[in-house]
Amino acid sequence: MTEPLTIGMLGYRFMGRAHSNAIARLPMFFPDAPAVERHTLIGRDEEALAEAADQFGFNNTATDWEDVVGEVDVFYNLGPNHLHAEPSIAALEAGTAVLCEKPLAPTLDEADRMRDAAAQATVPAGCAFNYRFLPAIQYAKGLIADGELGEIRHVRGRYLQDWLVDSEAPWAWRMDADLAGSGALGDLGAHTVDLVRFLVGDRTGGIDRVSGHLETFVEERPVYDDVGEIEEYRPVTVDDAYTAQAEFANGAVGSFEASRMATGHKNDHTIEIHGSEGSLKFALERLNELEVLTGDSRGYETVLVTEETDPYVDHWWPPGHTIGWEHSFVHENFEFLSAVAEGTEFSPSFAEAYEVQEVLDGIEQADEHGEWVSVDNGQE
Amino acid sequence: MTEPLTIGMLGYRFMGRAHSNAIARLPMFFPDAPAVERHTLIGRDEEALAEAADQFGFNNTATDWEDVVGEVDVFYNLGPNHLHAEPSIAALEAGTAVLCEKPLAPTLDEADRMRDAAAQATVPAGCAFNYRFLPAIQYAKGLIADGELGEIRHVRGRYLQDWLVDSEAPWAWRMDADLAGSGALGDLGAHTVDLVRFLVGDRTGGIDRVSGHLETFVEERPVYDDVGEIEEYRPVTVDDAYTAQAEFANGAVGSFEASRMATGHKNDHTIEIHGSEGSLKFALERLNELEVLTGDSRGYETVLVTEETDPYVDHWWPPGHTIGWEHSFVHENFEFLSAVAEGTEFSPSFAEAYEVQEVLDGIEQADEHGEWVSVDNGQE
Amino acid sequence: MTEPLTIGMLGYRFMGRAHSNAIARLPMFFPDAPAVERHTLIGRDEEALAEAADQFGFNNTATDWEDVVGEVDVFYNLGPNHLHAEPSIAALEAGTAVLCEKPLAPTLDEADRMRDAAAQATVPAGCAFNYRFLPAIQYAKGLIADGELGEIRHVRGRYLQDWLVDSEAPWAWRMDADLAGSGALGDLGAHTVDLVRFLVGDRTGGIDRVSGHLETFVEERPVYDDVGEIEEYRPVTVDDAYTAQAEFANGAVGSFEASRMATGHKNDHTIEIHGSEGSLKFALERLNELEVLTGDSRGYETVLVTEETDPYVDHWWPPGHTIGWEHSFVHENFEFLSAVAEGTEFSPSFAEAYEVQEVLDGIEQADEHGEWVSVDNGQE
Amino acid sequence: MTEPLTIGMLGYRFMGRAHSNAIARLPMFFPDAPAVERHTLIGRDEEALAEAADQFGFNNTATDWEDVVGEVDVFYNLGPNHLHAEPSIAALEAGTAVLCEKPLAPTLDEADRMRDAAAQATVPAGCAFNYRFLPAIQYAKGLIADGELGEIRHVRGRYLQDWLVDSEAPWAWRMDADLAGSGALGDLGAHTVDLVRFLVGDRTGGIDRVSGHLETFVEERPVYDDVGEIEEYRPVTVDDAYTAQAEFANGAVGSFEASRMATGHKNDHTIEIHGSEGSLKFALERLNELEVLTGDSRGYETVLVTEETDPYVDHWWPPGHTIGWEHSFVHENFEFLSAVAEGTEFSPSFAEAYEVQEVLDGIEQADEHGEWVSVDNGQE
């Protein structure tokens, strides 16, 4: 019997929990997944770390990623963006497979170095764009790949949240350019650009050029002390929202947007695509559904993507018994760990994530210069 | 440290999987849940049973429930309806807590005996009406209990599925009166009646009388052999669909319905309630949402019940990161196992499930006699 | 050139306005409609009547219908229900075509006499079930007639309003049994039963038997004087809400409901039909749309019934330019006046409206006796 | 008694019909509207013109607008865009009030001349942006003006149609730059920009700068002869679709889009606005509704804007009895003709329409030069 793959995981908050849960669920629902050992959880606060390790099922903890990345089979990099490059590169150089959270890096330069490290590695280096792995998105991808939408003409993607609507909402690392790279653009827009590449990259030839607009509505935010008093205000050095226009190689027209201040929208990632033969709409808050219009249909069909013939669904429950947000991570981890175990490629790779980053960088540059910027989309 | 509660589970298919998964997920998400051991899985087909035990994390298997019910702390009765009474009663008599799938029993008489056994037991005896434990339903319950809807006047519940639309869909035990009791009425209507009791029982005084209509659209269905040839046709002796009218003690008007032949509806359990001050709507296929109209609102608000202040949500993910059908089981198991560990009451109890059964029985009698039937609703 | 048809109209409030408007709009949008003269408007309050006649384009007024019904070509009976029978019968006996508002009469006996009068007349006698004439309903009818839904199994109809939610809302003739016959049942349920007959009567063989439940939530209501003070309370002697179950000749299952106290619903007439091959849903508040599921569709398609190939639409605007509630009256008047001019039959006739009344009467009887009541549905 | 206002109308197709209908409906529903005479209908094809005049209720016809503009009180310019400037200016110079269809002109230069003519006239010169006059839009305007949405941050407007999806759909004047100015941008985008100005102009300070993208998917289209054979292909010299980004004076972020090739969308004009205190959404295909989120609401409320307290609704039908697309014209004509009769200002004026045109022109220039373009928005 094969030894279980040992996993080292940097980060034990939101994403640490999401991936640990996904890993823990594989044996019951994806019995073909490789066996794994949740080996070492990495973080700085020893007490919180110990508690998390216990809850997430890790056998060890470590406060220095350098001690871990070479000692495990797989390294999950779930730290803040500014910690994506160095540990991931070190792991790859040590022959350790890497799954890194998105966006790949806070700067295009770091993303470039990560891509290079991945290119020289013999193990998978994946970027965790989890929404690709939703049944509804996979189903949409299949429809588009089969030509059901015809020639793609319109692509619309927006990702709306509202957790920063209150101008006294606390400052966090995600609002600092040095730590996060960008704001809504990198955090939310990265998902949009990846999904767009995944869904229509092949059929459009990818994005050729972009126009961009980044906006920071609230310029500084409070840091609170333990008793809830404001200690200080720190500057917000990233965007609260962005919009972008895009032109694809085939002439298709794109329109992207994200915000952390879209009052009333919690996690509203909506993708809409119109082709010469059909259209579709996906909205993350109703992730079991896909709106589809093809062929002779007169209007959009609301498809509940929960049939056992739908992607991944046979692993779960009977038709109509919906899944949740977290299931995207289970599918992603199944695919990634299978790729590691079988020595196959995993998509989205660092190379693909780099191309996403190029688009994000293009949008930032376009904003800065007030003009359209060409993107080497790598999909032509 | 306390010994883990040992669990014996009868049934290893759909419901076995749903509950095993729920139990397995508790430590990571409900750290306060009592420790449990998945001790013995019970079934008839030894090979399939062994495989299921392995996948579901049970340490032992048994082919006879009589060997198990007295040897564990908790007995999960997930067998077909005609197996609900005897093993559950035996367990309770042995001082073993019981969680039994719904409907409580195929006949009111058996349900009565189960209720009696529960009344004499000192351990919880619960019926697994899992939908009570959805955040949106709990949130709805809170609104109603707080009087936000005022005096309740209209209650509408329907549960639509379509897995029997095809008249050549295979025969199954759920279509046999001896094994299942009733069809759509017991399988789906039981959920509706329980939710209605849960949500508005207190404020309406419960259901006083009912009118009923049961219909079997397809009178016999094929049994297929291993190569997909039809071996024989067996009679369908339960209802494919039912409708019911209800009058509540306070004069509120009820209207219930379920079908296994509602083309295009997969798992569409919809509850609508109108009161003198407000209204609400819940639909299971969009289980993260609740439509609410209260106070000065001009129309229904679509509330995404995923805030950390919403019931159970703080155990899971940030706002807007939706949960799925299975999460209702996690919450249910948390509540049930906590009740067992702490020696507190669990609701819905056998006594409550009996009262659900009384309503179902009333509907059947009303159908048979073509007249309204009084129900001793136990909620006055 | 033919002389215009002269019209006498009893009633100058809501319905008077709706029909007058419809008649006035015909020349521009239905140039093939027969020429008409709005001849005499009939009412009791001379001052209000004169003003209405001016606004609605009538050349004369009269305070006694007996002076009019024999002097015009067409008589519109838009008075309260208790005034439906006598003037309509007198008109028919005088050879005057009649369009009477729904329900046909407050009692089945009066409806019977009206049907008899119509049977002996040589002019059309129509009942104004206007919703039949909506494009979406006509389109639905076509789909059903073409067999797109297969064998009909489920029929659901509910009509929810909330104008009586406030228990201090003023008393009106619609709440008096002598003047109105019944309440929500006759006012709203009549529409539902007519649409159900229209849509699925042929394919189901009609309704065989019904169960009924009528409820009055508020037993008396205030009469206000000119300065808004309560003068007195008058009893509400009709239902605020009803529910009904129905069994159709082919075994299909029906479920009907209406209320004037469904908080948050203004004019929500919803019809849902499931057949062995497909399903559809219509909701009056979105009357340009029809939800349709047929053939290989996986979910309901939201069809905007505004193509020029859709019923009546070529008379109006380009695709996507929606019509309103009032347009149903224009279509209805076009069909009725054309039938009068051409001497053809108009549907729904008094005979059909009588059959609707039989169902309503059956529901009332079923409520009174607490048992199912057979209906001679006339569609077998 | 005052003499009726005499109306001369250039154009007798779609818009001629929409305005003639609106004028004809005023007396019954807006008794306070000034009396008018549909005096002269102007067009080139005498036969078609005569038929239209008869149907639309005009007493005279003319083939030369120059003979008419000085002889009537009010001139409706409903001709193709390239005929907007000269006749409108001539009318204004003759002291005749003008209502001109949108967009104001095919070029900014012509729009400028029209604005100048209006500035020197003593009669109203209005541009027919009819959607302003929908109850839901007026209601939205009121909410925004009252500050219910707080500081405006996001504005999204898109107008999707699909009548050109088929690449063999016939050529028409709307596809020719000389006759129409632009395509989707001027035809559909003009509505969007006007609604955005109307709704949030005051509170944002207007649009400061824009980025643009125009795309023509199908470069030439067939001209068909009388028997449906293709005679020739003519070039499409306008955009099939546009996208734009906008920055408002207060920092709000805008995103606009329109297409004639958005498969499955008929007349889908959607406006979404997010402010610091609330959000709203409007969609033209459901024009009786407004989605509103304000104050403590947890989600969008679906408001049916049909209460008698809602703008214009008291002129029509009881709550829940929806209106259609055409009603926007009735309201618009009521306001415009009242302004003419009373000598008051009408909004949207030519000056406002010019500012819309500036934004459209900015989008075109931005597209041409690949960079953001400043707009003198006139709302600061």
Side-chain angles (χ1 to χ4, degrees):
Chain A
M1 184 188 162
T2 331
E3 286 291 298
L5 294 169
T6 54
I7 292 177
M9 183 179 286
L10 169 61
Y12 57 88
R13 297 193 190 280
F14 181 21
M15 283 299 111
R17 205 167 192 230
H19 285 281
S20 296
N21 171 58
I23 293 165
R25 303 195 68 186
L26 286 173
M28 198 179 288
F29 293 92
F30 287 77
D32 294 339
V36 299
E37 183 196 343
R38 280 164 270 169
H39 191 279
T40 302
L41 190 65
I42 310 163
R44 282 183 306 189
D45 177 336
E46 293 197 27
E47 192 177 347
L49 183 64
E51 192 182 342
D54 185 51
Q55 204 179 355
F56 298 169
F58 278 82
N59 296 324
N60 309 285
T61 62
T63 54
D64 192 341
W65 58 263
E66 296 188 71
D67 299 341
V68 181
V69 294
E71 304 301 312
V72 291
D73 298 318
V74 187
F75 175 59
Y76 280 63
N77 191 335
L78 316 179
N81 302 350
H82 71 105
L83 285 182
H84 283 187
E86 205 181 348
S88 295
I89 291 169
L92 290 170
E93 286 174 353
T96 300
V98 175
L99 185 64
C100 181
E101 263 304 324
K102 38 56 57 181
L104 189 58
T107 66
L108 188 59
D109 180 62
E110 284 173 276
D112 191 22
R113 291 195 293 118
M114 292 172 79
R115 178 181 61 161
D116 286 349
Q120 287 167 30
T122 57
V123 288
C127 189
F129 288 114
N130 59 301
Y131 295 136
R132 283 196 183 196
F133 300 95
L134 287 167
I137 291 292
Q138 297 267 332
Y139 178 65
K141 165 76 170 176
L143 292 173
I144 293 166
D146 291 348
E148 294 277 344
L149 268 55
E151 173 82 4
I152 303 302
R153 285 170 177 162
H154 290 279
V155 180
R156 212 171 292 118
R158 63 177 210 194
Y159 201 144
L160 303 181
Q161 298 186 337
D162 70 358
W163 55 288
L164 290 185
V165 164
D166 181 354
S167 55
E168 296 296 289
W171 187 93
W173 69 265
R174 290 177 187 277
M175 299 157 209
D176 184 281
D178 290 338
L179 304 180
S182 67
L185 177 64
D187 188 24
L188 306 177
H191 274 306
T192 305
V193 173
D194 180 67
L195 275 192
V196 166
R197 287 187 83 264
F198 177 64
L199 290 170
V200 303
D202 290 346
R203 294 192 72 91
T204 57
I207 293 171
D208 262 3
R209 59 189 192 105
V210 292
S211 169
H213 184 195
L214 276 66
E215 186 70 36
T216 306
F217 295 116
V218 175
E219 301 285 350
E220 60 177 19
R221 288 185 176 274
V223 176
Y224 293 91
D225 65 16
D226 289 348
V227 295
E229 298 293 320
I230 294 176
E231 280 183 339
E232 58 166 329
Y233 279 84
R234 286 198 203 148
V236 174
T237 52
V238 300
D239 54 296
D240 287 325
Y242 87 96
T243 62
Q245 297 171 276
E247 181 169 42
F248 291 79
N250 76 333
V253 168
S255 178
F256 308 140
E257 181 175 3
S259 178
R260 291 164 168 178
M261 296 176 80
T263 306
H265 296 251
K266 299 303 169 188
N267 202 24
D268 180 8
H269 193 192
T270 300
I271 303 284
E272 300 175 338
I273 299 169
H274 308 305
S276 57
E277 308 289 332
S279 293
L280 57 80
K281 306 184 203 172
F282 169 80
L284 183 59
E285 290 178 356
R286 289 178 175 169
L287 59 83
N288 292 278
E289 301 178 15
L290 190 73
E291 303 276 315
V292 180
L293 181 147
T294 56
D296 296 330
S297 293
R298 290 191 54 179
Y300 284 88
E301 241 176 78
T302 303
V303 176
L304 198 61
V305 189
T306 60
E307 296 297 303
E308 63 175 23
T309 52
D310 287 321
Y312 299 118
V313 175
D314 59 330
H315 290 268
W316 298 105
W317 314 107
H321 294 72
T322 57
I323 61 169
W325 169 84
E326 64 177 56
H327 292 73
S328 63
F329 286 81
V330 183
H331 306 161
E332 177 183 58
N333 276 271
F334 169 68
E335 300 291 359
F336 175 70
L337 292 169
S338 297
V340 173
E342 295 162 17
T344 55
E345 305 225 329
F346 174 74
S347 174
S349 66
F350 275 21
E352 289 172 88
Y354 173 82
E355 285 160 16
V356 170
Q357 205 87 5
E358 273 189 319
V359 175
L360 303 183
D361 186 69
I363 291 169
E364 279 195 277
Q365 285 186 46
D367 174 58
E368 197 172 327
H369 301 297
E371 61 187 27
W372 287 74
V373 166
S374 291
V375 176
D376 178 13
N377 62 57
Q379 294 190 308
E380 285 161 288
Chain B
M1 183 189 163
T2 331
E3 287 292 297
L5 295 169
T6 54
I7 293 178
M9 183 179 286
L10 170 61
Y12 57 88
R13 297 193 189 280
F14 181 23
M15 283 300 109
R17 205 168 193 229
H19 285 282
S20 296
N21 170 58
I23 293 165
R25 303 196 67 186
L26 286 173
M28 197 179 289
F29 293 93
F30 287 78
D32 294 339
V36 298
E37 182 196 343
R38 280 164 271 169
H39 190 280
T40 303
L41 191 64
I42 311 162
R44 282 183 305 187
D45 177 335
E46 293 197 26
E47 192 176 346
L49 183 64
E51 193 182 342
D54 184 51
Q55 204 179 354
F56 297 169
F58 279 83
N59 297 323
N60 309 284
T61 62
T63 54
D64 191 341
W65 58 263
E66 296 187 72
D67 299 340
V68 180
V69 294
E71 304 301 313
V72 291
D73 298 318
V74 187
F75 175 59
Y76 279 62
N77 190 336
L78 315 179
N81 303 351
H82 70 105
L83 286 182
H84 283 187
E86 205 181 349
S88 296
I89 292 168
L92 289 170
E93 287 175 352
T96 300
V98 176
L99 185 64
C100 182
E101 263 304 323
K102 38 57 57 181
L104 190 58
T107 66
L108 189 59
D109 181 62
E110 284 172 276
D112 190 23
R113 290 196 292 121
M114 291 171 78
R115 178 181 62 161
D116 286 350
Q120 288 167 31
T122 56
V123 288
C127 189
F129 288 114
N130 59 301
Y131 295 137
R132 283 195 182 196
F133 300 94
L134 286 167
I137 291 292
Q138 296 267 333
Y139 178 66
K141 166 75 170 176
L143 292 174
I144 293 166
D146 291 349
E148 295 277 345
L149 267 56
E151 173 82 2
I152 303 301
R153 285 169 176 161
H154 289 280
V155 180
R156 212 170 292 119
R158 65 177 209 193
Y159 202 145
L160 304 182
Q161 299 184 337
D162 70 357
W163 55 288
L164 290 185
V165 164
D166 181 354
S167 56
E168 298 296 290
W171 187 93
W173 70 263
R174 289 175 187 277
M175 298 156 209
D176 184 282
D178 290 338
L179 304 180
S182 66
L185 177 64
D187 188 25
L188 306 178
H191 274 304
T192 304
V193 173
D194 179 67
L195 276 191
V196 166
R197 289 186 83 262
F198 177 64
L199 291 169
V200 303
D202 289 346
R203 294 193 72 91
T204 57
I207 293 170
D208 262 4
R209 58 187 192 107
V210 292
S211 169
H213 184 195
L214 277 65
E215 185 70 37
T216 306
F217 296 116
V218 174
E219 301 285 349
E220 60 177 18
R221 288 185 176 273
V223 176
Y224 293 91
D225 65 18
D226 290 349
V227 295
E229 297 293 321
I230 295 175
E231 279 183 339
E232 58 165 329
Y233 279 85
R234 283 195 204 152
V236 174
T237 52
V238 299
D239 54 295
D240 287 323
Y242 86 96
T243 63
Q245 297 170 277
E247 182 169 41
F248 291 79
N250 75 333
V253 169
S255 178
F256 308 140
E257 182 176 3
S259 178
R260 293 164 167 175
M261 296 175 81
T263 306
H265 297 251
K266 298 303 168 189
N267 201 24
D268 180 9
H269 193 192
T270 299
I271 302 283
E272 300 175 339
I273 299 169
H274 309 306
S276 57
E277 307 290 332
S279 293
L280 58 80
K281 307 184 204 174
F282 169 80
L284 182 58
E285 290 177 355
R286 290 178 175 169
L287 59 82
N288 292 278
E289 301 177 15
L290 191 73
E291 303 275 315
V292 180
L293 181 148
T294 55
D296 296 331
S297 294
R298 292 191 52 179
Y300 284 88
E301 241 177 77
T302 303
V303 176
L304 197 61
V305 190
T306 60
E307 297 297 304
E308 64 177 21
T309 52
D310 287 321
Y312 299 118
V313 175
D314 59 330
H315 291 269
W316 299 105
W317 314 107
H321 295 72
T322 57
I323 61 168
W325 169 84
E326 64 178 54
H327 293 73
S328 64
F329 285 82
V330 182
H331 306 161
E332 177 184 58
N333 276 271
F334 169 68
E335 299 292 358
F336 176 70
L337 293 169
S338 297
V340 173
E342 296 161 19
T344 55
E345 304 227 329
F346 174 74
S347 174
S349 66
F350 276 21
E352 289 171 89
Y354 173 83
E355 285 161 15
V356 170
Q357 203 88 7
E358 273 191 318
V359 175
L360 302 182
D361 187 70
I363 291 169
E364 279 194 278
Q365 285 185 46
D367 173 60
E368 197 174 326
H369 301 296
E371 61 186 28
W372 287 73
V373 166
S374 291
V375 175
D376 177 13
N377 62 58
Q379 294 191 306
E380 283 160 290
Chain C
M1 185 189 163
T2 331
E3 287 291 297
L5 294 170
T6 54
I7 293 178
M9 184 179 287
L10 170 61
Y12 57 88
R13 298 194 189 279
F14 181 21
M15 284 300 110
R17 205 166 193 231
H19 284 282
S20 297
N21 171 58
I23 294 165
R25 303 195 68 186
L26 286 173
M28 197 180 289
F29 293 93
F30 288 77
D32 294 339
V36 299
E37 184 197 343
R38 281 164 269 168
H39 191 279
T40 302
L41 190 65
I42 310 163
R44 283 184 305 190
D45 178 334
E46 293 197 27
E47 193 176 345
L49 184 64
E51 192 182 342
D54 185 50
Q55 203 179 354
F56 297 169
F58 280 82
N59 296 323
N60 309 284
T61 62
T63 53
D64 191 342
W65 57 263
E66 295 188 71
D67 298 341
V68 180
V69 294
E71 304 302 313
V72 292
D73 299 317
V74 187
F75 175 61
Y76 280 63
N77 190 336
L78 316 178
N81 303 350
H82 71 104
L83 284 182
H84 284 187
E86 206 182 347
S88 296
I89 292 168
L92 289 171
E93 287 176 352
T96 300
V98 175
L99 184 64
C100 181
E101 263 304 324
K102 39 56 58 181
L104 190 58
T107 66
L108 188 59
D109 180 61
E110 284 172 276
D112 191 23
R113 290 196 293 118
M114 292 172 78
R115 178 181 62 162
D116 286 350
Q120 287 167 30
T122 57
V123 288
C127 189
F129 289 114
N130 58 300
Y131 295 137
R132 283 195 182 195
F133 300 95
L134 287 167
I137 291 292
Q138 296 268 333
Y139 178 64
K141 166 75 170 176
L143 292 174
I144 293 166
D146 291 348
E148 294 277 344
L149 267 56
E151 174 82 4
I152 303 302
R153 285 169 176 161
H154 289 279
V155 180
R156 212 170 292 118
R158 63 178 209 193
Y159 202 144
L160 303 182
Q161 298 185 338
D162 70 359
W163 57 287
L164 289 184
V165 164
D166 180 354
S167 56
E168 296 297 289
W171 188 93
W173 70 264
R174 290 176 186 277
M175 299 157 207
D176 183 281
D178 289 338
L179 304 180
S182 66
L185 177 64
D187 188 24
L188 306 177
H191 275 303
T192 304
V193 173
D194 179 67
L195 275 192
V196 166
R197 288 187 83 262
F198 177 63
L199 289 171
V200 303
D202 290 345
R203 294 193 72 92
T204 57
I207 294 170
D208 262 4
R209 59 189 191 104
V210 292
S211 170
H213 184 194
L214 276 66
E215 186 70 37
T216 306
F217 296 116
V218 174
E219 302 283 350
E220 60 177 18
R221 288 186 175 273
V223 176
Y224 294 91
D225 65 16
D226 290 345
V227 296
E229 298 293 321
I230 294 175
E231 279 183 339
E232 59 166 329
Y233 280 83
R234 285 198 204 150
V236 174
T237 52
V238 300
D239 53 296
D240 288 324
Y242 87 96
T243 62
Q245 297 171 278
E247 181 169 44
F248 291 79
N250 76 333
V253 168
S255 178
F256 309 140
E257 181 174 4
S259 178
R260 291 164 169 177
M261 297 176 80
T263 306
H265 297 251
K266 298 303 167 189
N267 202 24
D268 180 9
H269 193 192
T270 299
I271 303 283
E272 300 175 338
I273 299 169
H274 309 305
S276 57
E277 308 289 332
S279 293
L280 58 80
K281 307 184 201 173
F282 169 79
L284 183 58
E285 290 177 355
R286 291 179 175 168
L287 60 82
N288 291 278
E289 301 177 16
L290 190 73
E291 303 274 316
V292 179
L293 181 147
T294 55
D296 296 331
S297 293
R298 290 191 53 179
Y300 284 88
E301 241 175 75
T302 303
V303 176
L304 198 62
V305 189
T306 60
E307 298 296 305
E308 64 176 20
T309 52
D310 287 320
Y312 299 118
V313 175
D314 59 331
H315 291 268
W316 298 105
W317 314 106
H321 295 72
T322 57
I323 62 169
W325 170 83
E326 65 178 52
H327 293 73
S328 64
F329 285 81
V330 182
H331 306 160
E332 177 183 58
N333 275 272
F334 169 69
E335 299 291 359
F336 176 70
L337 292 169
S338 297
V340 173
E342 295 161 19
T344 53
E345 304 226 329
F346 174 74
S347 174
S349 66
F350 275 22
E352 290 171 88
Y354 173 83
E355 286 160 15
V356 170
Q357 204 86 8
E358 273 190 318
V359 175
L360 303 182
D361 186 70
I363 291 168
E364 279 195 278
Q365 285 186 47
D367 173 59
E368 197 173 327
H369 300 297
E371 62 187 25
W372 287 73
V373 167
S374 291
V375 176
D376 177 13
N377 62 58
Q379 294 191 307
E380 285 160 289
Chain D
M1 185 188 162
T2 331
E3 286 292 297
L5 295 169
T6 53
I7 293 177
M9 183 179 288
L10 170 60
Y12 57 90
R13 297 195 189 280
F14 180 21
M15 283 301 110
R17 205 166 192 232
H19 285 282
S20 296
N21 171 58
I23 294 165
R25 303 194 69 185
L26 286 173
M28 196 179 289
F29 293 93
F30 288 78
D32 294 339
V36 299
E37 184 197 343
R38 280 164 269 167
H39 191 280
T40 302
L41 190 65
I42 310 162
R44 283 184 305 189
D45 177 335
E46 293 199 26
E47 192 176 345
L49 183 64
E51 192 181 342
D54 185 50
Q55 203 179 355
F56 297 169
F58 279 83
N59 296 323
N60 310 284
T61 61
T63 54
D64 191 342
W65 57 263
E66 296 188 70
D67 298 340
V68 180
V69 294
E71 303 301 313
V72 291
D73 298 317
V74 186
F75 175 60
Y76 280 63
N77 190 337
L78 316 178
N81 302 350
H82 70 104
L83 285 182
H84 284 186
E86 204 182 348
S88 295
I89 292 168
L92 289 170
E93 286 175 353
T96 301
V98 176
L99 185 64
C100 182
E101 263 304 323
K102 38 57 59 180
L104 190 58
T107 66
L108 188 59
D109 181 62
E110 284 173 274
D112 191 21
R113 291 195 293 121
M114 292 172 77
R115 178 181 61 162
D116 286 350
Q120 288 166 31
T122 57
V123 288
C127 189
F129 288 113
N130 59 301
Y131 295 137
R132 284 195 181 196
F133 300 94
L134 287 167
I137 291 292
Q138 296 267 332
Y139 178 66
K141 166 76 170 176
L143 292 174
I144 293 166
D146 291 349
E148 294 277 345
L149 267 56
E151 172 83 4
I152 303 302
R153 286 169 176 161
H154 289 280
V155 181
R156 212 171 292 118
R158 64 178 209 194
Y159 202 144
L160 303 182
Q161 298 185 337
D162 70 358
W163 56 287
L164 290 185
V165 164
D166 181 354
S167 54
E168 297 297 289
W171 187 93
W173 71 264
R174 290 176 187 276
M175 300 157 209
D176 184 281
D178 290 337
L179 304 180
S182 66
L185 177 63
D187 188 25
L188 306 178
H191 274 304
T192 304
V193 173
D194 179 67
L195 275 192
V196 166
R197 286 187 84 262
F198 177 64
L199 290 170
V200 303
D202 290 345
R203 294 192 73 91
T204 57
I207 293 171
D208 262 3
R209 57 187 192 106
V210 292
S211 169
H213 184 194
L214 276 66
E215 185 70 37
T216 306
F217 295 116
V218 175
E219 301 285 349
E220 60 176 18
R221 288 186 176 273
V223 177
Y224 293 90
D225 66 16
D226 289 348
V227 294
E229 299 291 321
I230 294 176
E231 278 182 340
E232 58 165 330
Y233 279 84
R234 284 196 205 151
V236 174
T237 52
V238 300
D239 54 295
D240 287 324
Y242 87 95
T243 63
Q245 296 170 278
E247 181 168 43
F248 291 79
N250 75 333
V253 168
S255 177
F256 308 140
E257 180 175 4
S259 177
R260 293 165 168 175
M261 297 175 79
T263 306
H265 297 251
K266 299 303 168 190
N267 202 25
D268 180 8
H269 193 191
T270 300
I271 303 284
E272 299 175 339
I273 299 170
H274 309 305
S276 57
E277 307 290 333
S279 293
L280 59 78
K281 307 184 205 174
F282 169 79
L284 183 58
E285 290 178 355
R286 289 177 175 170
L287 59 82
N288 292 278
E289 302 178 14
L290 190 73
E291 303 275 316
V292 180
L293 182 148
T294 56
D296 296 331
S297 293
R298 291 192 51 180
Y300 284 88
E301 241 176 77
T302 303
V303 176
L304 198 61
V305 190
T306 60
E307 297 296 304
E308 64 175 22
T309 52
D310 288 320
Y312 299 118
V313 175
D314 60 330
H315 290 267
W316 298 105
W317 313 107
H321 295 72
T322 57
I323 61 169
W325 169 84
E326 65 177 55
H327 292 73
S328 64
F329 285 81
V330 183
H331 307 160
E332 177 184 57
N333 275 271
F334 169 69
E335 300 292 359
F336 176 70
L337 293 169
S338 297
V340 172
E342 294 161 19
T344 54
E345 304 226 329
F346 174 75
S347 174
S349 67
F350 275 20
E352 290 171 88
Y354 173 83
E355 285 160 15
V356 170
Q357 204 86 9
E358 273 190 318
V359 175
L360 303 183
D361 187 69
I363 291 168
E364 279 195 277
Q365 285 185 47
D367 173 59
E368 197 173 328
H369 301 297
E371 62 186 26
W372 287 73
V373 166
S374 290
V375 176
D376 178 13
N377 63 58
Q379 293 191 307
E380 285 161 289

